[in-house]
């Protein structure tokens, strides 16, 4: 915990203000005594341990000095890099002891994203790769599979609800009708959604079986097997071009998963189809029940992960629980359950709740666990139960169905939107996420201006029509009709519409012409002015942030890796088990920390067109300035050397003359 976080947590307002003022002073005066002393400390001897505290201070005060500090832990050969102290840079104790956390942690004073440029340093690139392999990859694929299952389960239960209602209609039908015939056709049709759900379950099962091979020890053995066919663990054996064989190992696991899915799912689907054709629909009920129970359990699982990530911001409760005995674990578990609802009001967890994505996830999972689940269950029970007086059933079903449909639509939309966060690890599409966040800020600013005109025009049209037209009969109806003008539905016909009975215009004389003029003003302001203003703002935002796009994409990826690492909730002992591997001779450092990495694998390339002109000019000016300083230093050294040589030559000549005499 940083001094600022400590001061804010315990309400030491004066101390927090002092820390902020000092940070601002150091930014304004780079030559202050603290930074000068920090530069001296950053120059360490060869073989010295990585100091996370020192690196964090360098990142906050002088990112360029932090980059030079990292240079001391990498040696460059002709074709590859070799790293030292990589386990310390990754963080030996917890997530917050990692250099990556120091870079991604919010600065006291906004530095314009200068810290994120450090992520392009080869050491931190390697740290990202190591963390992804040790902490992130297996957890990411597990979450991706479970998330797909959760979305599929929700869709499966919705489609099965249609079939269930059709079955109820068909069973209670007294006479034939078009509705009954459609219901029977739906019942007899092959349930494609249930079949896909069955295949997804089989695929997920075998995927989880094969994901065990991504554990550090097993994955090292599998990589060795890909290299020379020996499934053994030898930490002293260095696999050349290990990245190639690791990629082959992952591809082999994926192919095996697909193969086993096809071999097992095909006969199951065939048997399921034959049973349905024979009139046995028990398989439908079983699959629907697994989907119904499955999405509830999966929502609980993802909510549990969010709680672990939340508590990882201030892990004192988790540590207390980990160090307690059985009764103590039970006690601290109860404390955690009671403590979590209070966290939105605590400063220690402000960073977690500052993310809109986190808040949306928690809200979505809570809705799935509570209202959506019980609304769906009550709707099924009301449909199935057959009582004598069915009027109350119709009313209750109508109410639950409306709430269920609206809430379900919001949940499905939210789940698909939240699935975008899985793109953070994709280096080709992940860069879009920070751009979208910036653009959403422009949209929010635009809504402030737009809302004023929208509300004003809504009221104006409502006053003009005075409930004479259904399109403007209420304020909500007027708002709807006014809003869609922005998308091309002008609704000009409403102004010269006639009454069906009297055939007179709804708007008489000057009011009708005034309405036309108001609609002209409406179209000019909304479509021509405000929408073009929004497009200009968004275009400017993208251009302004394009130069930093690569760093921001890396920062987005790094946050995803750290979030996965935080969700694991490892104690210091469990974390050490990941960094080290047990052997008969004792624990040894994971070989991944000592691998030599090809330069072409880590070197970042920035396209010429993607580099901002001002940035290039500033870079060139900086280089010219540095070269000028170096030139002056060389001239001084040459002058000093010449003077020493002249003095030595003079001494030699004098000595020769004395010897001649």
């Amino acid at each position: 915990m940083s001094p600022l976080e400590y001061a804010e947590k315990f309400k030491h307002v004066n101390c927090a203000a002092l820390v902020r003022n000092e940070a601002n002073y150091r930014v304004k005066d780079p030559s202050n005594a603290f930074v000068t002393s920090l530069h001296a400390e950053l120059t360490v001897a060869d073989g010295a341990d990585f100091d996370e505290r020192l690196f964090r201070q360098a990142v906050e005060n002088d990112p360029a000095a932090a980059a030079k500090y990292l240079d001391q832990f990498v040696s460059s050969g002709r074709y590859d890099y070799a790293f030292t102290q990589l386990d310390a840079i990754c963080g030996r104790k917890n997530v917050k002891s990692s250099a990556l956390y120091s870079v991604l942690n919010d600065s006291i004073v906004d530095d314009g994203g200068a810290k994120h440029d450090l992520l392009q340093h080869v050491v931190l690139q390697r740290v990202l790769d190591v963390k992804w392999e040790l902490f992130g990859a297996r957890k990411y694929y597990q979450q991706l599979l479970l998330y797909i299952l959760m979305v599929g389960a929700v869709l499966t239960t919705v489609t099965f609800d249609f079939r269930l209602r059709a079955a109820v209609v068909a069973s209670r039908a007294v006479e034939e009708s078009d509705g009954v015939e459609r219901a029977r056709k739906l019942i007899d049709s092959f349930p494609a959604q249930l079949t896909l759900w069955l295949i997804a379950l089989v695929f997920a099962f075998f995927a989880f079986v094969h994901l065990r091979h991504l554990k550090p020890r097993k994955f090292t053995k599998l990589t060795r097997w890909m290299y020379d066919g020996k499934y053994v663990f030898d930490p002293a054996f260095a696999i050349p071009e290990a990245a190639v064989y690791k990629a082959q190992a992952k591809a082999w696991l994926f192919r095996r998963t697909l193969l086993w899915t096809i071999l097992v799912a095909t006969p199951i689907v065939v048997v399921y189809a034959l049973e349905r054709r024979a009139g046995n629909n028990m398989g439908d009920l079983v699959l629907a029940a697994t989907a119904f129970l499955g999405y509830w359990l999966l929502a609980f699982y993802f909510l549990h992960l969010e709680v672990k990530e939340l508590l990882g911001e201030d892990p004192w409760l988790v540590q207390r629980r980990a160090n307690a005995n059985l009764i103590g674990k039970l006690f601290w578990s109860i404390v955690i359950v009671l403590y979590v609802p209070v966290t939105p009001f605590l400063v220690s967890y402000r960073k977690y709740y500052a993310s809109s994505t986190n808040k949306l996830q928690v809200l979505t999972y809570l809705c799935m666990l509570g209202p959506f689940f019980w609304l769906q269950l009550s709707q099924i029970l009301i449909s199935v139960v057959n009582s004598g007086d069915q009027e109350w059933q119709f009313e209750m079903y109508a109410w639950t169905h409306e709430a269920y449909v609206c809430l379900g639509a919001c949940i499905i939309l939210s789940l698909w939107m939240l699935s975008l966060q899985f793109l953070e690890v994709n280096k080709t599409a992940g860069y879009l996420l920070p751009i979208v966040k910036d653009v959403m800020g422009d949209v929010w600013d635009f809504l402030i201006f737009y809302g004023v005109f929208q509300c004003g025009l809504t009221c104006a049209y409502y006053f003009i029509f005075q409930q004479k037209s259904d399109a403007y009969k209420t304020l909500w109806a007027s708002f709807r009709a006014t809003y869609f003008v922005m998308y091309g539905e002008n609704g000009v016909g409403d102004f010269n519409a006639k009454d069906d009975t009297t055939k007179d215009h709804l708007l008489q004389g000057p009011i009708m012409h005034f309405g036309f003029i108001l609609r002209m003003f409406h179209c000019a302001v909304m479509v021509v002015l405000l929408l073009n203003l929004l497009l200009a703002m968004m275009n400017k935002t993208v251009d302004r942030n394009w130069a930093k796009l690569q760093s921001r994409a890396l920062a987005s990826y790094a946050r995803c890796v750290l979030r996965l690492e935080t969700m694991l909730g490892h104690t210091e002992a469990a974390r050490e088990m990941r960094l080290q591997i047990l052997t008969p001779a004792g624990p040894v450092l994971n070989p991944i920390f000592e691998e030599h990495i090809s330069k072409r694998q880590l070197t970042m390339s920035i396209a010429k067109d993607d580099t901002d002109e001002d940035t290039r000019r500033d870079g060139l000016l900086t280089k010219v300035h540095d070269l000028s300083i170096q030139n002056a230093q060389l001239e001084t050294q040459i002058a000093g050397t010449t003077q020493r040589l002249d003095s030595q030559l003079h001494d030699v000549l004098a000595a020769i003359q004395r010897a001649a005499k």
Side-chain angles (χ1 to χ4, degrees):
M1 184 181 297
S2 67
L4 180 61
E5 291 174 342
Y6 183 88
E8 290 180 340
K9 178 179 179 180
F10 294 101
K11 308 297 183 182
H12 300 315
V13 180
N14 293 334
C15 292
L18 182 62
V19 172
R20 293 183 185 277
N21 292 336
E22 177 64 20
N24 185 68
Y25 164 73
R26 292 176 184 177
V27 171
K28 300 296 183 182
D29 184 16
S31 60
N32 63 81
F34 176 82
V35 175
T36 303
S37 174
L38 180 63
H39 287 169
E41 284 188 80
L42 288 172
T43 305
V44 299
D46 292 339
D49 289 340
F50 173 79
D51 190 340
E52 188 273 333
R53 177 196 61 82
L54 193 62
F55 177 75
R56 183 176 66 251
Q57 292 177 347
V59 167
E60 293 293 337
N61 293 277
D62 190 354
K68 292 181 180 179
Y69 180 65
L70 290 177
D71 290 340
Q72 301 173 83
F73 302 100
V74 57
S75 57
S76 176
R78 183 168 184 174
Y79 302 116
D80 54 21
Y81 293 110
F83 301 91
T84 58
Q85 294 291 318
L86 204 57
D87 56 330
I89 299 174
C90 285
R92 289 171 178 159
K93 293 183 178 181
N94 50 48
V95 177
K96 292 190 175 183
S97 65
S98 168
L100 207 58
Y101 182 84
S102 301
V103 174
L104 296 176
N105 195 28
D106 294 334
S107 299
I108 300 176
V109 180
D110 186 17
D111 59 355
K115 291 198 307 182
H116 294 165
D117 292 337
L118 282 172
L119 294 173
Q120 299 188 45
H121 195 282
V122 291
V123 173
L124 291 185
Q125 288 184 57
R126 182 56 185 160
V127 167
L128 276 173
D129 292 340
V130 170
K131 281 181 173 289
W132 171 253
E133 184 171 323
L134 294 183
F135 304 105
R138 183 165 172 261
K139 191 70 175 178
Y140 172 81
Y141 293 126
Q142 287 178 350
Q143 287 192 22
L144 180 60
L145 282 170
L146 293 176
Y147 196 87
I148 293 173
L149 284 179
M150 182 170 64
V151 176
V154 174
L155 294 175
T156 301
T157 56
V158 171
T159 55
F160 182 76
D161 180 64
F162 299 152
R163 290 179 171 273
L164 183 62
R165 280 186 288 166
V168 172
V169 170
S171 63
R172 296 180 181 178
V174 179
E175 58 183 13
E176 293 294 329
S177 63
D178 294 339
V180 175
E181 185 178 354
R182 286 195 300 270
R184 287 176 177 168
K185 285 183 178 180
L186 179 60
I187 296 171
D188 296 335
S189 63
F190 186 75
Q193 182 64 38
L194 291 176
T195 306
L196 290 175
W197 170 246
L198 174 60
I199 296 173
L201 288 176
V202 176
F203 177 80
F205 173 78
F206 287 108
F208 270 89
V209 170
H210 287 87
L211 281 177
R212 295 181 305 161
H213 292 281
L214 292 183
K215 292 182 178 180
R217 184 183 181 89
K218 290 186 176 182
F219 191 63
T220 303
K221 294 164 69 175
L222 184 60
T223 305
R224 176 70 183 273
W225 183 64
M226 289 292 166
Y227 173 68
D228 58 6
K230 297 179 180 179
Y231 192 74
V232 295
F233 176 74
D234 185 3
F237 184 82
I239 301 176
E241 296 292 336
V244 175
Y245 298 102
K246 288 179 180 180
Q248 291 180 3
K250 293 178 181 178
W252 180 81
L253 290 174
F254 181 69
R255 290 195 300 268
R256 291 261 301 182
T257 302
L258 285 180
L259 178 62
W260 278 105
T261 301
I262 294 172
L263 292 177
V264 175
T266 302
I268 294 178
V269 171
V270 170
V271 172
Y272 169 62
L274 292 176
E275 287 293 323
R276 286 198 85 260
R277 191 170 184 178
N280 185 4
N281 293 327
M282 183 57 66
D284 293 358
L285 296 176
V286 172
L287 289 174
T290 58
F292 187 71
L293 184 62
Y295 84 73
W296 193 90
L297 293 175
L298 289 171
F300 182 81
Y301 167 77
F302 280 104
L303 183 63
H304 173 66
L305 290 182
E306 291 301 315
V307 171
K308 292 179 70 174
E309 182 183 354
L310 169 67
L311 296 178
E313 295 293 331
D314 190 9
W316 67 275
L317 273 175
V318 179
Q319 293 172 356
R320 293 284 183 88
R321 183 180 180 277
N323 298 329
N325 54 23
L326 181 60
I327 299 178
K329 288 182 185 297
L330 179 61
F331 170 76
W332 286 111
S333 298
I334 297 174
V335 171
I336 289 175
V337 172
L338 299 176
Y339 182 76
V340 168
V342 187
T343 53
F345 309 101
L346 301 179
V347 178
S348 303
Y349 306 97
R350 182 176 57 189
K351 184 177 179 181
Y352 175 85
Y353 289 107
S355 171
S356 301
T357 303
N358 291 338
K359 289 184 284 190
L360 180 60
Q361 286 183 121
V362 172
L363 181 62
T364 302
Y365 301 145
L366 287 176
C367 287
M368 292 177 66
L369 290 172
F372 183 72
F373 177 82
W374 293 110
L375 282 173
Q376 193 174 31
L377 182 61
S378 61
Q379 185 174 251
I380 293 174
L381 293 176
I382 294 171
S383 300
V384 173
V385 174
N386 188 6
S387 62
D389 183 13
Q390 296 183 357
E391 184 176 353
W392 71 271
Q393 284 184 270
F394 294 143
E395 294 179 358
M396 182 65 71
Y397 181 84
W399 181 85
T400 56
H401 182 69
E402 291 173 359
Y404 163 74
V405 168
C406 294
L407 183 60
C410 293
I411 287 176
I412 286 294
L413 178 61
S414 175
L415 289 176
W416 281 106
M417 290 173 60
L418 290 173
S419 66
L420 289 174
Q421 62 186 323
F422 289 99
L423 291 177
E424 286 181 328
V425 301
N426 189 310
K427 295 183 180 180
T428 57
Y431 75 94
L432 293 174
L433 296 178
I435 288 294
V436 170
K437 292 179 181 178
D438 294 335
V439 170
M440 290 304 295
D442 292 332
V443 173
W444 176 255
D445 295 336
F446 165 78
L447 288 176
I448 298 174
F449 289 93
Y450 171 77
V452 173
F453 287 96
Q454 177 67 31
C455 293
L457 290 168
T458 297
C459 296
Y461 288 125
Y462 180 70
F463 293 155
I464 288 175
F465 281 93
Q466 298 180 1
Q467 297 186 344
K468 295 178 181 178
S469 173
D470 291 338
Y472 301 90
K473 198 165 188 177
T474 62
L475 281 174
W476 172 239
S478 179
F479 181 89
R480 293 198 311 265
T482 307
Y483 175 79
F484 288 109
V485 170
M486 187 168 55
Y487 302 102
E489 294 188 13
N490 293 326
V492 179
D494 295 332
F495 295 95
N496 56 6
K498 296 182 179 180
D499 187 84
D500 295 336
T501 305
T502 62
K503 303 301 180 181
D504 294 332
H505 286 285
L506 295 177
L507 299 180
Q508 298 291 334
I511 298 180
M512 180 178 66
H513 299 293
F514 177 74
F516 278 117
I517 295 173
L518 190 61
R519 181 52 56 90
M520 294 176 191
F521 171 77
H522 184 184
C523 293
V525 170
M526 291 294 190
V527 180
V528 179
L529 178 61
L530 291 182
L531 279 183
N532 282 284
L533 176 62
L534 175 61
L535 292 176
M537 291 168 58
M538 294 166 65
N539 187 43
K540 189 64 178 177
T541 298
V542 173
D543 290 341
R544 183 175 61 251
N545 296 325
W546 195 261
K548 293 286 185 180
L549 188 60
Q550 191 174 45
S551 297
R552 298 185 66 197
L554 274 174
S556 179
Y557 170 56
R559 287 193 184 93
C560 177
V561 174
L562 278 186
R563 185 167 62 251
L564 292 170
E565 187 179 358
T566 305
M567 286 180 179
L568 292 174
H570 283 159
T571 60
E572 187 173 347
R575 187 178 183 84
E576 187 176 351
M577 294 294 292
R578 289 293 180 106
L579 302 180
Q580 297 182 351
I581 297 179
L582 293 177
T583 64
V588 296
L589 190 66
N590 195 310
I592 193 174
F593 294 111
E594 299 175 355
E595 290 180 2
H596 287 217
I597 306 301
S598 173
K599 287 186 175 181
R600 69 177 184 274
Q601 182 181 345
L602 289 181
T603 301
M604 301 297 293
S605 60
I606 304 176
K608 183 177 180 180
D609 295 337
D610 293 343
T611 306
D612 186 75
E613 185 66 30
D614 294 336
T615 305
R616 289 203 302 267
R617 185 176 64 252
D618 293 341
L620 290 174
L621 290 175
T622 303
K623 289 182 180 179
V624 170
H625 178 69
D626 293 341
L627 290 174
S628 299
I629 295 175
Q630 293 178 10
N631 186 39
Q633 292 175 349
L634 289 174
E635 289 179 354
T636 304
Q637 292 177 2
I638 291 172
T641 303
T642 303
Q643 186 176 0
R644 287 196 303 272
L645 290 175
D646 290 342
S647 177
Q648 292 175 1
L649 181 60
H650 183 270
D651 293 341
V652 170
L653 291 175
I656 292 174
Q657 290 176 359
R658 286 195 300 270
K661 293 179 180 180

